[in-house]
Amino acid sequence: MRYSVLQILRQGLTGNRGWKPVWREPEPKRHYDTIVVGGGGHGLATAYYLASAHGLTDVAVLEKGWLGSGNVGRNTTIVRSNYLLPGNEPFYELSMKLWEGLEQDVNYNAMVSQRGIINLYHSDGQRDAAARRGNAMILAGADAVLLDREALQRKCPYLDFDNERFPIKGGLWQPRGGTVRHDAVAWGYARGADRRGVDLIQNCEVTGFDIRNGVCHGVETQRGTIGADRVAVCVAGSSGRVMGYAGLRLPIESHVLQAFVTEGLKPAIPGVITYGAGHFYVSQSDKGGLVFGGDIDGYNSYAQRGNLPMVEDVCEGGMALMPMIGRARVLRMWGGLVDMSMDGSPFIDKTPVEGLYFNGGWNYGGFKATPASGYCYAHLIATGAPHPVAAEMRLDRFERGAAIDEKGVGAQPNLH
Amino acid sequence: MAETPLRARPALDGYNRTVGAVALAEVSGLALVSAAVPQGGDEAFAAALAEGLGASRPATGDSTAGDRHMARILGMQPDQLFILFESPDPDRPAESVLAALGGAAYVTDQTDSWAMLRIAGAGVRSALERICMLDLADEAFPEGRVARTVMEHLAVIILRDGADSFLLMSPRSSARSFLHAVELSVLNLSE
Amino acid sequence: MIIDHPLLGPRDAQEFAILGDASLIDRPDWQAEDAAKLFHDYLHLRDNPAGEHRELWFHEQGDRSWLVVTRSTLTHEVLKVELARDVAIARGRDR
Amino acid sequence: MSGPFRFDGGPIDRSVSLAFRFDGRSLSGHPGDTLASALLANGVRLVGRSFKYHRPRGVFTAGSEEPSALVELRGGAWREPNTRATVAELFDGLEAFSQNYRGSLRRDLLAVNDLLAPFLSAGFYYKTFMWPKSFWERVYEPVIRASAGLGRLSGEADPDSYDKGFLHCDLLIVGAGPAGLAAALAAGRSGARVILADEDFVMGGRLNAETHEVNGRSGADWAAEAVRELASMNRVRLLPRTTVTGAYDHGVYGALERRTDHLAAANGKPRQVLWRIYSKRAILAAGATERPIAFGGNDRPGVMLAGAVRAYANRFAVGAGQRVGLFTNNDDGWRTAADLARKGVEVAAIIDARDRESVAEVPGARIVMGGRVTATRGRHGLKEVALATGERIGLDCLAVSGGWNPNVHLTCHHGGKPVWRDGIAAFVPGDLPPGMTVAGAAGGAFTTAAALIEGHRAAVEALGELGLPADAGDAPGASDEAANVAPFWHVAESRGRAWLDLQNDVTVKDVVQAHGEGFRSVEHLKRYTTLGMATDQGKTANVGALAIMAEQTGRTIAETGTTMFRPPYTPVPIAAFAGRSRGRDFRPTRLTPSHDWAAERGAVFVEAGAWLRAQWFPRPGETYWRQSVDREVLQTRGSVGICDVTTLGKIDIQGRDAQEFLNRIYANGFATLAVGKVRYGLMLREDGIAYDDGTTARLGENHFVMTTTTVNAVLVFRNMEFARQCLWPGLDVHLISVTEQWAQFAVAGPNSRALLGKIVDPEHDISNEAFPFMACGEVGVCGGAPARLFRISFSGELAYELVVPARYGEALMEALMAAGEEFDAVAYGTEALGVMRIEKGHAAANELNGQTTARMLGMQRMVSKRKDCIGNILSERPEMNREDGLELVGFRPVNRSEELPSGAHFLSIGAEAAMANDEGWMTSVAWSPELGHSIGLGFIRNGHARIGETVRAWDGVRGRDVAVEIVSAHFLDPDGERLRG
């Protein structure tokens, strides 16, 4: 069923009883060409691009819960390609370009909304770093505008420019940045993959790998062993747990990142704002809630919940930056399981086990990477070679001394 | 030792204010010296402490009183103590401690590192509960108890030096922010 | 979170800074044949368990002790707290 | 009586009238009223509009679960959107406005959405608005955004203040209804430290809303007496108006106390206090929330929950209608009819979905057992209901009860999943957070008697677990009420839309459609339809919707499960979480010893981390910052300048093994530093990256003092403690920060020695011979003040750093300036400091940004390979030692009049501006007044080999492109003659 205005009119006039299921609920086959482990955003995108870009449709996505229950189901929805380092920026810019064509590509409105993202600076040193970053972005084909205080004030008059502690001096603006309705990304990719023949299998947790003589032949699941020529793991916060089944240790720790949404409000904040003197970033959803977040709690956790000190820290940043949000009420807060890597950058790579692939280490920033992650992972799986923009995202980079450390804090995941 | 013509400025400029039942006052004139115990030197240190200051060594988190120089010994870290006392030579308190302890500890002057503020009075714990995460109830934090903690993003050493009296110490450079935090806690509760 | 400090009793985790896996105590021998690999693994690779995790916490706003906290990463339950110095000595670290 | 809907009696203080305004209309109520009860008492039924279809909405509940009666409270900067009228305490002068409409509340233009409802079904927006592509941001989305949302922020800074606080207790009791009060009495009488928190402004919970008796007296009276007794206990803390919003780890709870929201003005006191409660045990006695039944047109103002109608009658003495009906599936609902009838309200009909005999006789009421309400009528408020039989009954209020849901929310905050209990047709708590027990209705014990017993018992058990004495006496007693309930979720015979989520406009049809489209897990249902995502988080909506999904899938409700409840229990203002930390108080401010001195001289200050530092000192006539900075640089280099450098981290290091320890902390050798000498040190992280540098002086055999950069002071100390305690616990070394202890001043320039000669007491020889470059020692200054002198130089000039106890810092600054008058000494700020260090090619924060190797800094030979030190091994990794790696060099513009852009990237001449050709970047730039042109430092591939080459400093983000020449980073005095002179 193709979605369109006409379809809506047709269905509306017939009591909305004719809508078809967005995806099938197939029984797993005994063998697939490729199994993607993890039905979050990246896994679904990988399956979609395996089918749409490489014609590989003998593919199953195995999801232990419900489709989209990964971090694509709980994040702050920001998309941007404002990275600094050559190992990252071209990859995120590819992702941005894919976002820009996503909805027409998958025939699903994911509300890709390019209302812009601004990272504020508060000192000359931060301005210099912003300029360096802006230049790196433009060199990689992205867009960047360095706003001085006056230009920024025209765009965002509600910020506390004269904050008595850390006055705002300007910002680095990426006009093409913005937000995307996160669940719809999962559903759009799922629907696109399903329509191309990919089996999406929910409530099917992978409990082990079938590895013989260093070669992976499939996976063990709650619903039995399923064979595959290639197994592509894509489980974000569960990376350590799942790859442990294959005996692999990773440069990754699982942490908790909290995020927040307020009650619905009439439009108050047009784009995405990121504070430069505290841990706080915010946007406003189309429903009206202020969606915001900050730093990770800092301790290793699989519990998907955080604690009060970080809640307070984030809200302190918000109040220092834009005290007009003080009377907006936090409606809901949640904790996501994030796969923090040793340099804050991800991995899309083969593993020492033949036929076993790994995608992870997305830290707290995996959502924006969803399309490129799927695209480059599919490229690696289908062609055997890394996609050029993901060529630095290798598991051996620490041995080589080629960390991609945007923040410059070294091999301590809770600082990234 | 010559008396220097350099004017000493107290960290809180001699602040002193009473709001309702709570009195806030800067404590000045006391010296503070840290004493680190060399590895393997615990016994020598205990003996020197008894000999030089007439004090026993407190456990970490506790304090003891000495019988010389009004000294109070604060157990700050497993191998480090603070000695709060009236220094015979206010400009060289570390040397005074070194003399008293006969080299049984590595000493470092901390007098100017901390702004010292005493908060006392009937409402004192209600005011402190707005900024201090420690349990200050009698059973949990009796007189003589000491802790380093954090209040309103500031490092603070808190010593209970009376039933309704606490000595607070916070880094000198942020003394004004610290005073503001404590003062506001008192004001927020006042009628 | 509350860390039950072995010397000071229960203290709010907000007083602490967290480093990570307690295996960071086991710094390799710099003169080992394969020191490069040992240091790489030591600094970068993690068991990252979903369950009991031994980790290093620094009581920065407290008594400045480094602690080894054994804690469940599934429930956050704290199972054991030790002075890291004692752990290090027990693991053979000295000078 | 203050209106036709107001009864006699009840705990409402009629001796005082409170004037208030709703949408500009002047109305009045009494102390004890909420805004909702006062509106109902005044006959106001239309209160707001729903989120999506803009349907009329009225008061639906009497508590914090309210989905419909949301208002903007107060005006101006105090405006508080989406405030539940049902919990807003009335005060004199209260002003409230309805929200979410265009035009007027009665004639909302956006109500057109309701007519288009067939085309706005669940998830319609995912299926359209995709063409043309560019229309999303420009056309569709702005329209959607403008019509979505609910209330409006004021757009002004929140003018109130907020506070935080920390409380400790043996037992936290959440909720002061019968279970909570019984628990508090038992624990309080036993002498335990107890905190009893309740979100209401009157403690007692449902006892105030019902006519039950406790210990032979009215429940409300018993509750009031219990509260009085508890208030007299000094180890019991009562927190009314306090919502426990979240259960965190290890017995920590977050609670929001509303301290001035019931007052006309906060009078400078904190509006709300966010408490962090440390509890050893907690009892959840949060009661239960009634749920509705879905039927056609069940969203109309006048359709209310039965328990709420009862609460308005009994507690607020307000009739929610004048001709009331009841639609129920349980016995409890019948109490509403009985209580209203007792108040003299006309109860016109009782429709009970259960096909059984009538529960009670209610005079004048038409009783329909096995009945169904299928539809309602009334544009802005209920006028009539229709039954499945076709019968129509005129009503202005329909009280609906579909049973009660235990308030399990806090039990889920650690991931516990509620479990379905058939007997009460409701979810009850599953796994509990450690230390928590549940008592009363929150656990499914719906009778008052059971709540009292459970509360009492829970307290006694908690004390037992804590090893505390329990001397609690007997539990209070109450007469048990019948509580038969038969699950009944929606009226299948309804043809019109039947609402589940009143605020977000989710109807039974939406759930059916979601199922048809494959969105069948509860999470998919929620996300696809927006069920339960409104400000009430679906407190009255979720279970009904789950039941309908269960019907669709043919599974039980238990199998269907429920979505996660997460904090906060009710919404909390962002400002409350922030407390005082905003504006000036966002973070502490650190001031240098010479701050006031500098401020008096008009210095411009700059934030450097937590510090405020003097950036430059403008003099009269200087209109542009660089005039001041150039003067400060030239005067320093020409004669002498003084700069407060107290912000540097300082660590006192002592011990028999202090030297060996330093040798392992620093990458360069420290094994041979003599007493009385200073050495530059470079610190690596274990990954081999250079992260800090500074100097360390040896003051004695076992005594060193280290300086770190300002920003890394805390991290360096932490890392050194780690090395000391965890890596080499056998070394005798001890650390203590002395950053705050010492005021430190750089005295730099050719006349610095002469100046210091006037300050340092004469018995100390500071001649070049006696006190050469990199010497240090303890001295006296100004006639005996203790001081330390270090002969080190960041400026490249003959220079010293002079250190005195912080209390003398300000006076020393004055003394230095006075002594320097004859040399025309100048105070210089961070800007001049920066210029001079760039002129000397010294790396600072812009270069040491955590991505820099010693090799990039040209210091690879300093990293001693003959010793163990942090970072040594991993600094040898191949990619960090590439032949064509980045190297720090200097840059100057080919056209000397051009200014260099910091942050520019380097491209070879003729190379296209693309990432593949990126060769590095400019880290720092300055105007060198001595050279008379702009200079820069930067990292560029193979820099040293390319000195003399011209490249582009490409700064596309600012539209600039400057031809620059690669030069040595040492722009001035490359051989360092000045500093040794």
Side-chain angles (χ1 to χ4, degrees), chain D residues 42-61:
Chain D
N42 284 278
V44 177
R45 309 217 288 161
L46 175 61
V47 177
R49 291 277 173 173
S50 69
F51 183 84
K52 184 172 167 186
Y53 299 137
H54 288 256
R55 298 264 298 182
R57 288 288 180 264
V59 174
F60 187 63
T61 74

Side-chain angles (χ1 to χ4, degrees), chain D residues 213-280:
Chain D
E213 290 196 342
V214 177
N215 280 357
R217 55 205 292 205
S218 97
D221 288 351
W222 177 84
E225 177 55 34
V227 170
R228 273 193 297 278
E229 182 182 342
L230 291 165
S232 73
M233 299 177 176
N234 64 6
R235 286 169 67 81
V236 173
R237 177 113 170 204
L238 298 179
L239 293 173
R241 299 188 177 95
T242 302
T243 308
V244 176
T245 59
Y248 299 93
D249 279 314
H250 310 148
V252 176
Y253 290 80
L256 183 73
E257 182 184 8
R258 293 169 294 279
R259 292 184 64 99
T260 67
D261 281 342
H262 60 294
L263 305 175
N267 293 322
K269 299 298 182 199
R271 175 190 171 209
Q272 299 176 338
V273 177
L274 182 77
W275 295 108
R276 191 183 299 180
I277 300 175
Y278 302 86
S279 70
K280 297 195 176 90

Side-chain angles (χ1 to χ4, degrees), chain A residues 1-4 7-8 11-12 14-26 67 107-109 183-184 186-188 190-192 194-195 200 202, chain D residues 52-53 117-128 130 506-521 523-530 549 552-553:
Chain A
M1 178 182 281
R2 195 175 159 70
Y3 291 156
S4 66
Q7 188 71 260
I8 285 179
Q11 297 294 340
T14 55
N16 286 307
R17 282 187 288 266
W19 294 108
K20 294 281 181 296
V22 221
W23 44 64
R24 298 167 292 129
E25 292 184 356
L67 290 174
N107 180 229
Y108 205 82
N109 185 358
D183 287 321
W187 302 337
R191 178 167 169 268
D194 176 85
R195 281 169 16 139
L200 307 176
Q202 308 188 62
Chain D
K52 184 172 167 186
Y53 299 137
F119 311 112
L120 307 182
S121 67
F124 76 97
Y125 30 75
Y126 298 126
K127 300 165 182 164
T128 182
M130 288 177 271
V506 180
T507 66
V508 171
K509 282 182 182 170
D510 291 316
V511 177
V512 172
Q513 184 193 329
H515 173 263
E517 292 193 80
F519 295 97
R520 292 166 194 175
S521 94
E523 288 286 349
H524 281 147
L525 170 67
K526 167 186 136 181
R527 288 148 193 270
Y528 193 59
T529 64
T530 75
M549 180 56 83
Q552 293 291 313
T553 56

Side-chain angles (χ1 to χ4, degrees), chain C residues 1-2 12 14 24-25 27 30 43-44 56 58 60 64-66 76 78 84-85 88 93-95, chain D residues 249-250 276 278 657 664 686-687 717-718 721-722 725-730 867-869 873-874:
Chain C
M1 270 209 248
I2 309 288
D12 194 306
Q14 204 172 354
L24 288 167
I25 290 174
R27 188 170 181 270
W30 70 290
L43 191 63
H44 297 103
L56 286 158
F58 180 47
E60 191 149 73
R64 302 284 166 91
S65 285
W66 277 93
H76 297 170
V78 173
R85 183 191 174 83
R93 300 208 68 87
D94 188 3
R95 290 173 64 83
Chain D
D249 279 314
H250 310 148
R276 191 183 299 180
Y278 302 86
D657 299 313
R664 297 184 196 177
E686 193 68 274
D687 66 355
F717 190 91
R718 187 188 300 168
E721 278 290 355
F722 176 73
Q725 296 179 36
C726 300
L727 299 182
W728 303 300
K867 65 165 188 176
D868 186 12
C869 70
I873 298 295
L874 291 177

Side-chain angles (χ1 to χ4, degrees), chain A residues 222-286:
Chain A
Q222 292 167 310
R223 295 160 73 167
T225 301
I226 307 175
D229 299 334
R230 286 168 290 201
V231 175
V233 175
C234 200
V235 295
S238 300
S239 291
R241 191 151 45 171
V242 172
M243 295 309 278
Y245 300 145
L248 297 174
R249 294 174 86 217
L250 298 171
I252 287 176
E253 293 180 1
S254 294
H255 282 258
V256 56
L257 173 68
Q258 300 191 68
F260 310 84
V261 64
T262 68
E263 299 176 342
L265 300 159
K266 292 296 177 194
I269 297 170
V272 185
I273 309 280
T274 301
Y275 193 27
H279 302 115
F280 178 77
Y281 55 86
V282 63
S283 66
Q284 188 171 14
S285 77
D286 285 344

Side-chain angles (χ1 to χ4, degrees), chain D residues 455-519:
Chain D
H456 181 87
R457 188 169 57 213
V460 170
E461 284 173 4
L463 299 190
E465 283 173 33
L466 294 173
L468 297 173
D471 181 14
D474 294 331
S479 55
D480 241 339
E481 320 88 42
N484 175 288
V485 57
F488 185 76
W489 308 104
H490 72 112
V491 175
E493 296 90 335
S494 289
R495 296 234 302 280
R497 283 170 291 166
W499 267 258
L500 294 162
D501 187 322
L502 286 172
Q503 191 180 137
N504 269 358
D505 283 323
V506 180
T507 66
V508 171
K509 282 182 182 170
D510 291 316
V511 177
V512 172
Q513 184 193 329
H515 173 263
E517 292 193 80
F519 295 97

